[in-house]
Amino acid sequence: MKETIQHPVYGEIIYSESIWTGKKALKVNGACAPSVSKKEYTVNGKSAILKGNFLIGSSLQIDGESIQLAPKLKWYEIVLAVIPFLFLVIWGNSATLCSVFPVVGGAIGGALGGAAAILSLVFMKSNKSLLVKIIIGVISIAATILIAFLLALAFISFL
């Protein structure tokens, strides 16, 4: 994921972070900012500390000034991302509910719900439109429940 901002003092700041590895890179005015440590960079001869990550929001601290690089999550993004996980944890662990509509629960359901939450957040963060974010969240919920249902049917047929 990549964010580009314009700052009045430092110019164009490009912050990129790998979704899979978490590796971060910082460019200021087209030049790569050298990394001193995992979270500390040198920008124009000054020490800059990178806080946060792309999903929860990140900021750059230079000389006591905080520059927001990636915005924080909105409440509706969190709710839409957590719904599939909570559904699978609650529904999948109730024998009565699973007799009506079977879904996988336990470790498989939790892993599926967690993966869906992360992917949903990544896709929502990459879009600016509120309507697109809501559509992504609803599709994520429906797809996760459908996959959990199909996995449950597959496990039932093997028993």
Side-chain angles (χ1 to χ4, degrees):
M1 306 307 281
K2 185 187 261 186
E3 289 283 333
T4 303
I5 64 161
Q6 288 292 336
H7 190 268
V9 175
Y10 300 106
E12 183 182 60
I13 300 173
I14 301 172
Y15 167 65
S16 60
E17 181 177 345
S18 171
I19 298 169
W20 306 110
T21 63
K23 184 179 177 185
K24 301 172 185 177
L26 192 63
K27 285 186 179 181
V28 180
N29 281 333
C32 289
S35 175
V36 176
S37 67
K38 187 176 180 182
K39 294 183 179 184
E40 189 174 351
Y41 294 84
T42 303
V43 176
N44 296 345
K46 300 175 184 176
S47 176
I49 298 173
L50 189 60
K51 292 188 177 184
N53 62 36
F54 190 78
L55 285 178
I56 63 170
S58 60
S59 63
L60 189 64
Q61 309 285 329
I62 304 175
D63 285 341
E65 179 185 5
S66 180
I67 303 167
Q68 185 175 359
L69 301 176
K72 295 180 180 178
L73 289 171
K74 307 285 191 283
W75 68 270
Y76 54 86
E77 293 172 333
I78 296 170
V79 169
L80 287 171
V82 169
I83 286 174
F85 177 76
L86 289 178
F87 178 83
L88 292 180
V89 167
I90 294 168
W91 196 281
N93 289 316
S94 170
T96 306
L97 293 174
C98 280
S99 67
V100 175
F101 182 75
V103 294
V104 291
I108 296 172
L112 178 63
I118 297 298
L119 287 173
S120 175
L121 284 174
V122 167
F123 288 125
M124 282 192 275
K125 289 282 286 186
S126 66
N127 287 288
K128 303 288 185 207
S129 169
L130 174 62
L131 180 62
V132 173
K133 289 181 181 195
I134 292 172
I135 290 170
I136 289 170
V138 170
I139 289 172
S140 172
I141 293 167
T144 305
I145 293 172
L146 177 65
I147 292 169
F149 173 70
L150 293 174
L151 283 173
L153 290 180
F155 288 141
I156 291 171
S157 69
F158 286 122
L159 294 178

